Amino acid sequence: MKGLKLVSLTLLAMVMVLVVHAEPSFAQESASSGGFNPQEILRNALQWIDSLGPIGAIAFIAIYIIAAVAFLPGSILTLGAGVVFGVFLGSIYVFIGATIGATAAFLVGRYLARDWIAQKIAGNDKFSAIDEAVGQEGLKIVFLTRLSPVFPFNLLNYAYGLTGVSLKDYVLGSFGMIPGTLMYVYIGSLAGDLATLGSGDAPTNPTVQWAIRIIGFIATVAITLFITNLAKKALDKRVSKETV
């Protein structure tokens, strides 16, 4: 259990550093210095979407789904939704696109890699016990990790496919994205110009920034403690069965 405590303390230390020093970017994911630049590609896609009129919403959702599956930075699309559609509609379109894209990635991870992972951990009682426990509390875990900015969105989508979390709990847990979605779409709406997105020049609201950080910090502490406790109970249960 010392190892679990060490992991918890390490994660909490990382969160403290992020809260104090990191810019709130869903937001400011680094772009390539040259060659393939996903931020620039998505920014151009947003400008194209803006020119489509009423059907732009459909195109936006489709591109968000592709970005989630292809590991492209959805932060630019989230911010851009505020510019193109406004806070209300932008938040709705982002949530729909992110949820469908995340579910598609989850299914890819589950059906293309889950069996292989299961074979690898088949002889490891600790891994299988934790996997089983996570599956039982999937909704809470997914919801809390969606609230926290520390857990990378795209990678997490695939990772959950490798756990015992049910599809139903995974989708329902996506509602944890709503607070962050609303806040970042709002920040994007302040920019008023797609060209400034991701450049660091867009206007921001300090109150919103700190709200994001506080919510993220609380969610990260909660999920760290919850999973640590869950893993301990699962391992203790497994050990007690083996000693009977």
Side-chain angles (χ1 to χ4, degrees):
M1 291 306 103
K2 289 182 179 180
L4 289 174
K5 291 181 180 179
L6 179 60
V7 170
S8 299
L9 291 173
T10 302
L11 284 173
L12 291 175
M14 289 172 61
V15 175
M16 292 293 287
V17 172
L18 285 170
V19 168
V20 174
H21 297 289
E23 288 301 316
S25 75
F26 211 142
Q28 308 279 334
E29 296 170 62
S30 59
S32 304
S33 57
F36 178 67
N37 188 333
Q39 284 200 349
E40 188 62 30
I41 291 172
L42 293 177
R43 191 180 294 111
N44 291 337
L46 284 166
Q47 292 174 339
W48 172 68
I49 289 169
D50 196 23
S51 69
L52 294 179
I55 65 171
I58 298 174
F60 176 83
I61 292 172
I63 290 174
Y64 210 112
I65 293 170
I66 294 171
V69 175
F71 278 87
L72 296 178
S75 58
I76 289 294
L77 293 174
T78 303
L79 292 166
V83 179
V84 178
F85 303 110
V87 177
F88 180 70
L89 289 178
S91 298
I92 292 175
Y93 299 152
V94 167
F95 180 73
I96 292 172
T99 301
I100 296 175
T103 302
F106 172 87
L107 293 173
V108 170
R110 170 147 298 180
Y111 293 107
L112 294 184
R114 171 68 183 172
D115 290 343
W116 180 79
I117 294 295
Q119 291 174 4
K120 293 296 182 182
I121 67 174
N124 191 313
D125 290 338
K126 291 183 179 180
F127 277 115
S128 57
I130 293 172
D131 185 30
E132 180 182 347
V134 169
Q136 293 172 356
E137 298 288 351
L139 179 56
K140 293 178 184 177
I141 292 173
V142 175
F143 185 84
L144 288 171
T145 53
R146 291 310 192 194
L147 280 174
S148 171
V150 171
F151 300 92
F153 176 74
N154 289 339
L155 181 59
L156 205 59
N157 296 334
Y158 285 94
Y160 273 126
L162 307 180
T163 71
V165 175
S166 70
L167 178 61
K168 176 184 176 182
D169 285 347
Y170 178 77
V171 173
L172 290 176
S174 296
F175 282 90
M177 293 188 291
I178 291 177
T181 296
L182 288 169
M183 290 178 185
Y184 283 107
V185 172
Y186 169 68
I187 288 175
S189 72
L190 297 178
D193 184 358
L194 292 172
T196 64
L197 296 182
S199 66
D201 297 327
T204 57
N205 185 319
T207 301
V208 173
Q209 289 184 4
W210 277 106
I212 292 170
R213 289 169 176 170
I214 292 170
I215 290 175
F217 175 72
I218 293 172
T220 304
V221 172
I223 189 62
T224 300
L225 296 176
F226 183 72
I227 291 180
T228 298
N229 185 55
L230 194 63
K232 181 180 182 301
K233 287 182 178 178
L235 292 174
D236 288 346
K237 183 178 178 181
R238 181 62 62 94
V239 170
S240 65
K241 285 183 179 179
E242 292 177 350
T243 55
V244 171

